[in-house]
Amino acid sequence: MKTREHTDEVENDTRTALDSTKFANSSKEPPNSGLAISKSEFSSDMNGFQQRSRARLRSPWSCSPFTFATAVTAILTAILIGRSFLTRQLDPKGCAMSLMRPSFYSFSDDFNTEHTRFATKYSLHLYRERGIDEESRVVKGIPVLFIPGNAGSYKQVRPFAAEAAVHFDEVLRNSQDGPKHGKQPLDFFSVDFNEDITAFHGQTLLDQAEYLNDAVAYILSLYHKPNHSIRDPSLPDPTSVVLVGHSMGGIVARTMLTIPNYQMNSINTIITLAAPHARAPISFDSDIVRTYDRVNSYWRDCFSSERPGDNPLSQVAVISFAGGGLDTMVPSDYSTLASLVPPTHGFTVFTSTVPQVWTGMDHLAITWCDQLRKSVVRALYDVVDARRPNQTGPLPERMQAFKRWLLTGMEDVVEKSLNGKAPNTLLNLDDQSSSILSQGERLVLRNLGKKGRVMAHLLPIPPQLSPEQKRFTLLTNRRLDATASDPNLEVLFCSVSPLHLGHSADAFPVHMNYSTRDSGSTRLACKSSAADTILLPASLEGSVFPFDQASPFSYLQYDVEQLADHQFVAVVDKSTHAIPGWVIAEFSTKSESMVHTKQGLRSLVSSGTDISLPADRPMVSEITVPSIHSSLLAYKLDISRKSCGKTPELFKPLLRQHISEPYESKFFVNVQNAEISMHGVAPYMPPALKAGATAQGLTLQFWSDPTCKQEMDVSLRVDLIGSLGKLWMRYRTIFAAFPLLVVSLVLRKQFQFYDRTGIFMSFSESMDQSLRRSIPVLLLALTFLTMSFSKASQQPESRGPFGLRSGGSNHGIDFSVNELLLGSQDPFFWFLVPLFGLISVGVCIAVNYAFLSITHILSIPYTRILRLIGKGSDQK
């Protein structure tokens, strides 16, 4: 009522002033003539009232207390969001600089207008590492094409191409996994787009894709020409090219497979770096939005076909890397492939997840980070096979190789290699060289070689018929992986040897004889665990970051069902003298190590959660919080526990936070407190092809020394201030669009008032009146509309090919369901509509007065100049 009364009062005052003016100019007697005032006095008073009313309406500097309070509140809120974005919940930077000795060979003379209509606009280059690649103008290995992003340079290929050349020259050339197994040098090509702005123009993206398809055809033709190739003639000519795309280059790579000049099967592996796959980073250009919709619809339709055999993308693998919170140019949420390809053909992984990388990256660092380029190059060499025409292994082998190199190894999708191979080690032991632990006993070795002789510690594997699910875990500070195995420690999974049934010992390539007697010894047929070793960042007394230059821990984890073919776990201490090194191994029940919280999100926001892990807990404990899945909220985690006493800890607590889709893990070493944030369910993201990916929520995995018999109290609280900073990256377009809506309402009020009174009120006065009625009504309506969208019922789901959701038209999924208003189906965030409205009002008020101030300041010298000019003309 107050808002309407205020508006009516202003309009009534204006009408009264106008009517009084008319009366003062007429010859009639004023009303209430009995009053002792003359007509001239009445006319003078009314003219003064009219002037004051018009001055207040037309004054650009007028500002009511209500408008002032609203503007101050909005500006303070905006400052708080900006400060939170810049200073709170920041991931540490741990990238090392990469080194290279680059040289480039241009194909501008050969790859001309006869091959592509864009030859005068773009150019193709071949990278060569000086000191290794002596022949700069010829191809010799497996073709790889690098695609730069928006305004990117072709020289950004240097870190990956240099590492590929060095790794092949120093490691693969003379190794068993080298040329005999199809490993050849990687010929890295790169494209110079003259720093075209791809993110803002859809046609430019299509032009680049067309040029790249022509470039792929030309690159493949080079391997057919003797004067351009020194490749081994016994190998088949390549028929496909591996693509590596940065940022928008990753989108161009996927677009290549959708346009007419694409040569079928010429691309089967795509690696993208910080590429916004799910939606356009900037949606103000209609062409880029339409191009995104067409490309993404093509990919979805291919994988949702009722006949997967007709899928033109059936052999294409796509791996998407995301930098995480440090990428402030493109939201890492947009890098997910969940709405585009099924898990059988691709996945998204954050750089903080990749073993021995363990750090986030900004948008440009992801192209030169030394740790990441090493992991990417090793994964590429694992999937390529020059003995095949398509230059890569089959799709399932490629996907397993990428998962093995790029994921932590603790994900359910990573297959264990233990059961896929035959025993290769014959272990011969006696009573002096072995000890058998009792069922359920934990093995703790504080120093290797303490007994002065080789010692094998045997842990009996529990029977599978146990009423509780069990798993085996082992942690050590010595290296167990195949790439850098420790000669002083080995972990084997063994069963009683069948030699007594007539089998020959020659069937085992490796013999480990630690028995001092010719008879009465125990023979075990064993398999090595090296291929299943999981590397974890070292968590020691002085550890600060997971990417510190410290030798990583080695970790093994198996469910008992995966050990069904074995009877013992043999931890073999090969050292004959004391050396620093420890091992902890145990079998534990999942009920002992897993805590599943059922606390809802509202309860978490209001009071947080506190969990106490008992003193006799296993080495590994997990806390799952299904209600934590939103990327808009950040949390603070605190760990408290008592000292272990006189016995020193073998290692400090290690924390891993992770979600299952996308594959995002963060590690915290020597942890006492941690800032928890994730890229889970994000605004404006299309739904996943496969349902249930985010149902598990956030999982917190703890490694702690079980010999320290102290309780561990874990406290998790929402970081409200830190959460505000998450709004900027997810709602940048809202902060640009909402002020336009506010300005339109203010202009509407100005014209309405002008139509009624003939007076065009100032922007500030119109803002004040709009704040009292139209803006609150609009925000209230949008809030209720947001809540109604959130509560809309979902259609029942059915399953189609690749385990995807299917059902009515467009394979039963509405990919535009999150494109309106707040872009989320979670009603918890209803308050964001009035919050964004408040900030937008404050921005409009601040900008208005800022321009008024600038205009006023500039008008002062302008007025003085006019006066000087006027005085000069008067004197003449």
Side-chain angles (χ1 to χ4, degrees), residues 830-867:
W830 64 268
F831 60 87
L832 291 180
V833 172
L835 177 65
F836 293 151
L838 173 67
I839 295 174
S840 300
V841 168
V843 168
C844 292
I845 296 174
V847 170
N848 174 52
Y849 284 107
F851 274 96
L852 285 176
S853 301
I854 293 172
T855 304
H856 179 72
I857 293 172
L858 295 178
S859 68
I860 295 175
Y862 178 74
T863 304
R864 290 182 179 180
I865 292 173
L866 289 181
R867 288 177 180 176

Side-chain angles (χ1 to χ4, degrees), residues 20 26 35 39 58 88 100 150 203 248 294 314-315 324 422 557 662 724 751 791 813 874:
S20 300
S26 69
L35 296 177
K39 178 178 178 181
R58 291 179 173 177
R88 301 291 290 267
M100 70 287 293
N150 180 64
Q203 187 57 48
M248 290 300 295
R294 187 180 63 81
S314 60
Q315 298 303 315
Q557 176 178 301
L724 289 176
F751 284 111
K791 296 179 180 179
I813 309 174
D874 292 341

Side-chain angles (χ1 to χ4, degrees), residues 760-780:
F760 198 83
M761 69 170 66
S762 66
F763 183 89
S764 56
E765 182 65 24
S766 179
M767 173 67 78
D768 181 67
Q769 295 189 24
S770 299
L771 277 175
R772 299 175 186 273
R773 183 171 185 180
S774 57
I775 292 178
V777 169
L778 177 64
L779 294 180
L780 185 63

Side-chain angles (χ1 to χ4, degrees), residues 304 689 796-801 803-813:
S304 62
L689 290 176
E797 300 176 352
S798 59
R799 298 289 172 179
L804 310 181
R805 298 187 291 187
S806 60
S809 59
N810 196 21
H811 36 80
I813 309 174

Side-chain angles (χ1 to χ4, degrees), residues 3 15 63 145 246 299 307 320 357 370 400 434 459 485 535 581-582 619 693 715 741 796 833:
T3 57
R15 290 195 183 97
C63 182
L145 177 60
H246 172 240
W299 279 71
R307 293 177 296 179
S320 174
V357 178
D370 186 57
Q400 282 303 317
S434 65
L459 284 75
S485 59
L535 297 181
W582 50 263
M619 177 179 62
S715 174
L741 179 61
V833 172

Side-chain angles (χ1 to χ4, degrees), residues 156-173:
Q156 289 175 306
V157 72
R158 293 174 297 181
F160 293 98
E163 177 61 25
V166 172
H167 182 71
F168 182 85
D169 185 64
E170 296 181 354
V171 179
L172 295 179
R173 187 184 298 275

Side-chain angles (χ1 to χ4, degrees), residues 590-743:
K590 291 188 176 182
S591 60
E592 294 174 338
S593 59
M594 294 185 178
V595 178
H596 187 84
T597 62
K598 298 181 179 180
Q599 196 169 1
L601 184 58
R602 288 173 176 79
S603 176
L604 275 173
V605 172
S606 61
S607 59
T609 184
D610 297 287
I611 298 172
S612 180
L613 301 178
D616 58 347
R617 64 185 177 277
M619 177 179 62
V620 184
S621 303
E622 295 184 12
I623 300 175
T624 302
V625 191
S627 58
I628 296 182
H629 51 71
S630 174
S631 62
L632 297 178
L633 292 177
Y635 303 83
K636 284 186 174 181
L637 183 141
D638 294 296
I639 297 176
S640 60
R641 62 197 183 101
K642 296 180 180 179
S643 174
C644 295
K646 297 181 180 180
T647 304
E649 284 183 290
L650 296 175
F651 65 97
K652 293 296 182 179
L654 171 65
L655 168 64
R656 173 196 174 216
Q657 67 149 93
H658 67 95
I659 55 177
S660 57
E661 178 55 51
Y663 295 117
E664 181 183 22
S665 294
K666 292 182 183 179
F667 291 91
F668 302 88
V669 297
N670 193 16
V671 61
Q672 296 178 348
N673 50 70
E675 293 182 336
I676 306 296
S677 61
M678 74 208 75
H679 295 80
V681 179
Y684 305 112
M685 294 297 294
L689 290 176
K690 191 171 183 179
T694 59
Q696 186 177 354
L698 176 69
T699 299
L700 302 173
Q701 191 171 10
F702 297 88
W703 286 264
S704 59
D705 187 352
T707 63
C708 179
K709 300 292 184 179
Q710 297 293 340
E711 291 185 356
M712 179 184 290
D713 296 322
V714 180
S715 174
L716 187 65
R717 298 287 185 274
V718 174
D719 182 4
L720 295 178
I721 303 300
S723 299
L724 289 176
K726 305 300 178 184
L727 299 177
W728 171 247
M729 287 301 296
R730 277 80 180 187
Y731 287 108
R732 291 184 296 182
T733 54
I734 290 292
F735 287 119
F738 255 51
L740 297 178
L741 179 61
V742 173
V743 170

